[in-house]
Amino acid sequence: MKRLLLLALFSFFTAALTFGQQPQFIENSLDAYIKQGLKDWNLPGLAIAIVKDGKTVVMKGYGVADIKTQTPVDENTLFMIASNSKLFTGTALAQLDVDKKLSLDDKITKYFPDYKVYDATTTSLLTIKDLLGHHLGTKTFQGDFTFWNTTLSRREIMDKMKLLKPSMEFRQDFGYCNSCFLTAGQVIEQVTGKPWETYVQDSILTPLGMSNTYPLTVGIAERKGVSKPYTNAFTGTMTELPYDQVDNLAPAGSIVSNVKDVAKWLTMQLDSGKFEGKQIISWQAVQKTRDQNTILSSRASTAYPTHFRGYGLGVFEADYNGKQIFWHTGGANGFVTNTCFVPEENLAITILTNNDNQSFFEALRYQILDAYLGVKFVDRSQAMLRGFNREQAETVKKTNNMKARVKGKQPELLLTAYAGQYQNNLYGNIEISVNKKDLLIKFDQHKFLTATLQYMDSNEWMLTYNNGAYGIFPLKFKIQNNKVVSTETKVNDGLEYDPYLFVKQN
């Protein structure tokens, strides 16, 4: 009996030692690396999980979820995972394809006969797979200022897509498109009778036991253990943001989750659609999500051991030091996140963070990939930080220079001359009114967004949004014959790159 007990103990400790054999960086340096990264990048909080060989070998929170209360981040802390929601949408549609409920090659007009995009030929050819491939021909984020965080319904967003004029070639060029993913996701309800959020809950979240994951952002502020969203863009000062409300774009980015639950989703990805011995998603559907839908690049990277990059159905894919990797990032105001899995190594990573103005969440992912895939150590965080600090210093300097130009000078016309309704064909209307010595913009489609215009000089105003994530920019009015004709507004590039021209109506 004693001998059997000793053998059992020996077997237990041998198994524990084998399970614990992780790369030296993971075993000895990861904790310190993350703590230093939080300091270097001014990052309030971070949660991480690493899955290896079917086991969660790292699951931990760092920093705080709330700067005021100093509530620590842990494995249950909720974050908006934003575009990491896209693979859930792609997976749901791929499974419906396998189940013969639809075909990914179905024309979108089969389900929405009156749906249109800018070009009639493209409208007639556009398939579900096209919408999931970001190759409509529009620019990355085109239309997102109109769609993101606004009061538009899902159907109203779809209707407005006919106003998005492409600047690239259909099925040839990549332009990241949230409204495309929304449209594809809406097919789910047409086929199953369940809205996207219900179908994803019933077919993926519940079977995986992701019991603290929510497909919609509604009610996020009242969720137990939710992190606050922060930014220090433009001013360099950490600012708490309001939570984004993006349920109108739900299939593109509305899921709220935590590393404990996301680790279950990634474990399933590593086990060919199985979780705890049960087939959640068929292997055929999983394969379809990973089939390359859009070619991104076939040129070697100068920074990473990568030669090819593509996009599947809600997931990026590439080679990395000889292994095939799959990943996605997610960005909402105040949150940036990532997921990554390497099936050949039985490895998966998720990192969730609560400051949208940093790249540490990606530097850390690459550092972990390097450790597991045998890449010689290069401090990814420090390499990225140098460029980031330069750009951040330039941005803050520009902001401070604009603030210094607000000295009470008088604009070319009386303030009342600038007041009135302005219209943009895609967005709709904004209203500019006099607010004491300044001007105030109200945005029809954004329930809680306003912007203050403070006159600087040379017909330039400083545009400051009440939501710090939207940014601070110079603004000019076009004036003809002593009358205001139009103005252009700009938002943070992470929301949309191009400015919006608003023409004065009265």
Side-chain angles (χ1 to χ4, degrees):
M1 178 67 71
K2 189 175 181 180
R3 182 172 178 273
L4 289 173
L5 179 61
L6 288 172
L7 284 171
L9 287 171
F10 177 77
S11 298
F12 171 80
F13 284 117
T14 302
L17 181 63
T18 303
F19 170 70
Q21 287 178 342
Q22 303 301 319
Q24 185 176 350
F25 173 79
I26 304 299
E27 291 278 9
N28 302 326
S29 304
L30 180 64
D31 200 65
Y33 185 89
I34 292 175
K35 290 176 181 177
Q36 186 62 48
L38 265 62
K39 293 178 183 178
D40 290 342
W41 292 87
N42 201 4
L43 177 53
L46 175 151
I48 182 173
I50 301 175
V51 178
K52 183 73 171 77
D53 299 326
K55 302 290 185 181
T56 302
V57 297
V58 174
M59 183 180 290
K60 190 173 180 180
Y62 293 83
V64 297
D66 187 324
I67 291 174
K68 293 177 182 176
T69 65
Q70 291 293 294
T71 304
V73 172
D74 63 22
E75 70 274 17
N76 297 305
T77 301
L78 294 172
F79 299 79
M80 289 183 65
I81 69 168
S83 287
N84 283 295
S85 307
K86 286 184 169 67
L87 185 54
F88 288 82
T89 300
T91 300
L93 287 163
Q95 186 64 63
L96 289 169
D97 179 287
V98 170
D99 294 340
K100 307 299 182 185
K101 300 292 180 62
L102 56 78
S103 168
L104 291 169
D105 293 318
D106 282 342
K107 305 290 175 54
I108 195 65
T109 51
K110 175 179 178 179
Y111 302 98
F112 301 102
D114 58 344
Y115 178 80
K116 296 178 182 178
V117 292
Y118 190 87
D119 177 70
T121 301
T122 302
T123 298
S124 67
L125 295 172
L126 193 64
T127 66
I128 297 171
K129 189 184 292 184
D130 289 326
L131 291 167
L132 296 174
H134 300 295
H135 52 229
L136 181 63
T138 51
K139 295 181 182 179
T140 290
F141 302 150
Q142 189 171 341
D144 275 4
F145 175 60
T146 298
F147 307 145
W148 187 269
N149 228 358
T150 62
T151 57
L152 292 172
S153 69
R154 296 179 188 179
R155 185 66 222 206
E156 286 172 328
I157 291 174
M158 291 170 62
D159 288 343
K160 280 182 175 284
M161 287 182 66
K162 63 180 176 287
L163 302 175
L164 300 180
K165 184 177 181 179
S167 57
M168 299 182 292
E169 293 298 318
F170 174 55
R171 289 183 181 163
Q172 175 177 303
D173 297 306
F174 181 87
Y176 195 85
C177 182
N178 284 309
S179 55
C180 291
F181 252 80
L182 158 68
T183 305
Q186 288 299 94
V187 172
I188 292 172
E189 184 170 5
Q190 298 294 102
V191 170
T192 68
K194 295 181 179 181
W196 172 89
E197 55 269 27
T198 303
Y199 186 82
V200 167
Q201 181 71 62
D202 293 347
S203 65
I204 301 177
L205 302 182
T206 297
L208 281 173
M210 296 176 69
S211 57
N212 194 22
T213 295
Y214 309 93
L216 298 180
T217 57
V218 63
I220 184 173
E222 286 73 48
R223 299 277 183 205
K224 182 181 178 182
V226 67
S227 174
K228 299 285 189 181
Y230 296 98
T231 192
N232 62 341
F234 295 95
T235 65
T237 301
M238 195 63 68
T239 303
E240 182 182 327
L241 300 173
Y243 291 101
D244 282 342
Q245 301 295 322
V246 292
D247 294 344
N248 59 348
L249 282 167
S254 66
I255 293 178
V256 178
S257 192
N258 57 83
V259 293
K260 186 176 182 179
D261 275 3
V262 174
K264 298 175 182 179
W265 164 247
L266 294 175
T267 299
M268 184 204 75
Q269 294 289 345
L270 295 177
D271 197 15
S272 304
K274 295 179 183 177
F275 182 71
E276 295 182 345
K278 183 179 179 181
Q279 195 79 44
I280 308 299
I281 303 296
S282 71
W283 172 232
Q284 294 96 328
V286 171
Q287 285 179 306
K288 285 179 181 290
T289 66
R290 300 176 187 178
D291 290 338
Q292 190 162 200
N293 192 10
T294 306
I295 297 171
L296 299 182
S297 174
S298 57
R299 294 183 180 181
S301 167
T302 58
Y304 304 103
T306 297
H307 303 83
F308 309 101
R309 289 187 300 119
Y311 197 85
L313 305 181
V315 66
F316 291 94
E317 51 199 79
D319 64 310
Y320 199 90
N321 207 35
K323 303 294 183 181
Q324 188 177 26
I325 68 170
F326 301 90
W327 83 97
H328 213 288
T329 58
N333 290 330
F335 299 106
V336 283
T337 64
N338 62 42
T339 55
C340 180
F341 48 97
V342 191
E344 291 168 287
E345 287 292 312
N346 287 314
L347 169 69
I349 307 157
T350 183
I351 300 163
L352 313 180
T353 68
N354 61 1
N355 174 7
D356 62 18
N357 185 42
Q358 46 85 21
S359 296
F360 182 65
F361 79 114
E362 277 289 81
L364 177 58
R365 176 174 72 89
Y366 282 117
Q367 205 74 71
I368 294 168
L369 284 174
D370 287 351
Y372 278 103
L373 301 186
V375 178
K376 184 178 179 181
F377 182 83
V378 174
D379 193 322
R380 302 291 188 184
S381 178
Q382 290 301 312
M384 290 186 182
L385 188 62
R386 288 188 289 271
F388 171 84
N389 282 340
R390 284 194 301 269
E391 291 181 9
Q392 174 76 346
E394 290 174 5
T395 299
V396 172
K397 183 179 179 181
K398 288 178 182 178
T399 299
N400 289 337
N401 286 343
M402 283 191 289
K403 290 180 178 180
R405 290 168 60 192
V406 179
K407 295 180 178 179
K409 293 181 180 180
Q410 297 301 310
E412 183 177 344
L413 304 175
L414 294 174
L415 288 179
T416 53
Y418 301 91
Q421 293 284 333
Y422 293 71
Q423 194 264 344
N424 174 275
N425 193 34
L426 173 64
Y427 181 89
N429 295 325
I430 62 173
E431 180 185 357
I432 299 181
S433 59
V434 177
N435 183 28
K436 297 179 181 179
K437 296 181 180 180
D438 303 319
L439 298 173
L440 180 70
I441 305 179
K442 292 183 179 179
F443 299 86
D444 275 9
Q445 309 300 345
H446 287 81
K447 189 174 181 181
F448 301 108
L449 186 67
T450 62
T452 299
L453 296 178
Q454 295 171 284
Y455 187 69
M456 295 185 294
D457 52 57
S458 305
N459 192 29
E460 278 199 320
W461 304 67
M462 183 171 72
L463 168 70
T464 306
Y465 292 93
N466 66 328
N467 183 326
Y470 283 74
I472 302 173
F473 300 97
L475 176 146
K476 283 189 174 184
F477 288 93
K478 183 178 180 180
I479 298 173
Q480 291 179 344
N481 301 321
N482 290 321
K483 288 187 177 181
V484 177
V485 176
S486 62
T487 190
E488 283 190 342
T489 63
K490 180 78 177 74
V491 294
N492 186 355
D493 284 349
L495 290 165
E496 185 159 0
Y497 289 103
D498 289 342
Y500 276 56
L501 175 67
F502 285 93
V503 177
K504 197 168 188 296
Q505 302 298 296
N506 54 33

